[in-house]
Amino acid sequence: MYAHMKKQSKAFSDILILPSQSFPTPPGSTDTVSFPNINREQTLYTLDDDYTFEDNRDDEDHRPLEHIPDPEGDDDPDDGLAEEAEFTSRQGVFFFPPSLEDSEKAFEDLTNILRPPQNKGGGYKDPGLTREMMKCLEGVRTFLGTYIWLEKASPGKRGNWINASTYTVEMRFEKPHHARKLRKWGRSFIDNCKEQPGYNYGKGCKSALDDEDLAQDIHLHLQSLGKFVKAENIVEYCKHPNILERMKRTKTISLATARRWMAKMNYRWKRNHRGQYIDGHERQDVVDYRQQVFLPAMQKYEERS
């Protein structure tokens, strides 16, 4: 048989061999390999991958690996298929950048959205978008315009799509991670020009006071304390275990948060000025005094005059 000798084997690679010199095989074997006729000037040899030598043993299968049947059967759980599937699932999916024609069409649509022309005469109409959405669409338009410019300068060059987003972020003084958002919004707009990008500005923070039931309970608690209330009352109220469970917290809110909550619930800081007039003429004690004391006394004074 012919046994292949590997380059990686330290025993047979880069060996200094002299004429008529022999070297032993691994321990346990009595065979030796000798090279009787070697030129002295050529003493350094490296055995290639395709170098073979004859051997009387023929215990190896030289068929291609895919043609050799699995001794454990086709359903062997240890054949590596699970690991291969897990590795493949972790790999990213490559998406080709949009074509130049689609990008130009999307750029034109964005221009018409941001600067709709007047029905008559020159100028533009109000697009009717929020400031945040205007900023978002302006960024996508600049990004697509930069990509179109790069594609015309170097058609089909690898990296034009990513480089365009990077240049746009640098020009608009945005943070580097914003480039990924521009690429996502750009693809989304090219696929569907009628769908606006999902801009979540100001929607990341949610207050526990947005729960109307909780806000009403705090209102009732503050009203039960009397005429004067303070932010510390809310802090103490939120220490109750049932309130902490409703707010999904482990400790009460801070004093600064309580002050913001009071402002959100339309409570205002106010001084109790001295001599302040309070209209209470319909109170029962005032009505009794007026009917039974004041008016009879005034009637007597009128009779004397």
Side-chain angles (χ1 to χ4, degrees):
M1 65 121 337
Y2 292 94
H4 291 278
M5 302 185 68
K6 308 223 177 212
K7 264 185 185 179
Q8 291 80 0
S9 174
K10 295 183 179 179
F12 296 96
S13 63
D14 297 342
I15 301 175
L16 185 63
I17 305 175
L18 298 178
S20 301
Q21 180 184 2
S22 63
F23 57 93
T25 56
S29 175
T30 59
D31 297 335
T32 59
V33 182
S34 62
F35 300 89
N37 299 318
I38 300 180
N39 187 3
R40 287 178 176 271
E41 298 179 356
Q42 189 176 5
T43 57
L44 187 62
Y45 291 85
T46 301
L47 303 182
D48 297 330
D49 289 342
D50 55 349
Y51 187 86
T52 61
F53 66 96
E54 292 188 2
D55 194 352
N56 295 327
R57 293 171 296 180
D58 192 5
D59 56 353
E60 296 186 7
D61 196 339
H62 300 281
R63 289 179 294 172
L65 183 61
E66 59 271 13
H67 295 165
I68 300 177
D70 190 348
E72 301 293 337
D74 295 336
D75 298 331
D76 181 15
D78 298 327
D79 59 358
L81 294 179
E83 292 82 357
E84 183 179 357
E86 182 180 0
F87 177 79
T88 306
S89 64
R90 294 179 180 178
Q91 303 306 304
V93 180
F94 177 77
F95 293 97
F96 286 94
S99 63
L100 181 61
E101 294 76 12
D102 294 341
S103 301
E104 289 178 340
K105 182 65 171 59
F107 180 83
E108 182 180 355
D109 293 339
L110 275 173
T111 303
N112 294 331
I113 292 175
L114 294 171
R115 297 176 178 84
Q118 295 283 357
N119 296 331
K120 295 182 180 179
Y124 304 103
K125 295 186 296 185
D126 182 14
L129 301 173
T130 61
R131 185 184 64 176
E132 291 78 14
M133 186 56 64
M134 284 281 293
K135 181 180 178 181
C136 173
L137 294 180
E138 283 285 359
V140 177
R141 180 177 178 272
T142 305
F143 161 57
L144 291 179
T146 307
Y147 174 67
I148 293 171
W149 174 71
L150 290 176
E151 276 292 301
K152 290 183 177 180
S154 302
K157 183 179 178 181
R158 181 178 181 181
N160 282 346
W161 180 252
I162 296 180
N163 291 338
S165 63
T166 305
Y167 298 156
T168 304
V169 167
E170 293 176 354
M171 286 187 294
R172 295 173 60 86
F173 301 99
E174 299 281 358
K175 294 184 178 180
H177 70 272
H178 192 69
R180 181 177 296 182
K181 293 183 179 180
L182 290 178
R183 296 194 295 270
K184 178 181 177 181
W185 294 339
R187 287 185 181 274
S188 177
F189 189 84
I190 290 175
D191 294 338
N192 186 5
C193 62
K194 295 183 180 180
E195 181 179 356
Q196 295 181 351
Y199 198 77
N200 296 325
Y201 179 82
K203 299 180 181 178
C205 299
K206 187 176 181 181
S207 174
L209 203 62
D210 294 338
D211 185 357
E212 296 182 357
D213 295 336
L214 178 62
Q216 183 65 23
D217 292 344
I218 295 176
H219 270 299
L220 295 176
H221 172 70
L222 295 178
Q223 291 176 6
S224 65
L225 298 178
K227 183 178 180 181
F228 301 103
V229 294
K230 53 186 178 180
E232 287 84 349
N233 299 136
I234 300 180
V235 176
E236 295 296 328
Y237 178 73
C238 292
K239 286 183 179 179
H240 294 229
N242 58 338
I243 302 299
L244 291 175
E245 184 179 358
R246 289 175 60 181
M247 294 191 301
K248 298 180 181 180
R249 295 174 60 95
T250 57
K251 61 180 181 179
T252 185
I253 62 175
S254 64
L255 185 60
T257 301
R259 289 170 179 169
R260 288 195 298 269
W261 283 12
M262 293 191 73
K264 191 173 182 179
M265 292 187 295
N266 296 324
Y267 284 89
R268 296 292 180 267
W269 295 103
K270 187 177 181 181
R271 288 186 178 181
N272 186 21
H273 298 283
R274 295 182 179 180
Q276 182 179 5
Y277 175 76
I278 299 177
D279 188 8
H281 65 281
E282 295 182 353
R283 290 201 328 242
Q284 186 62 36
D285 58 336
V286 176
V287 173
D288 295 340
Y289 174 79
R290 183 173 61 246
Q291 297 295 334
Q292 301 176 10
V293 178
F294 178 75
L295 292 180
M298 290 300 295
Q299 185 177 2
K300 292 181 180 180
Y301 294 147
E302 290 179 357
E303 292 176 355
R304 290 181 183 180
S305 62

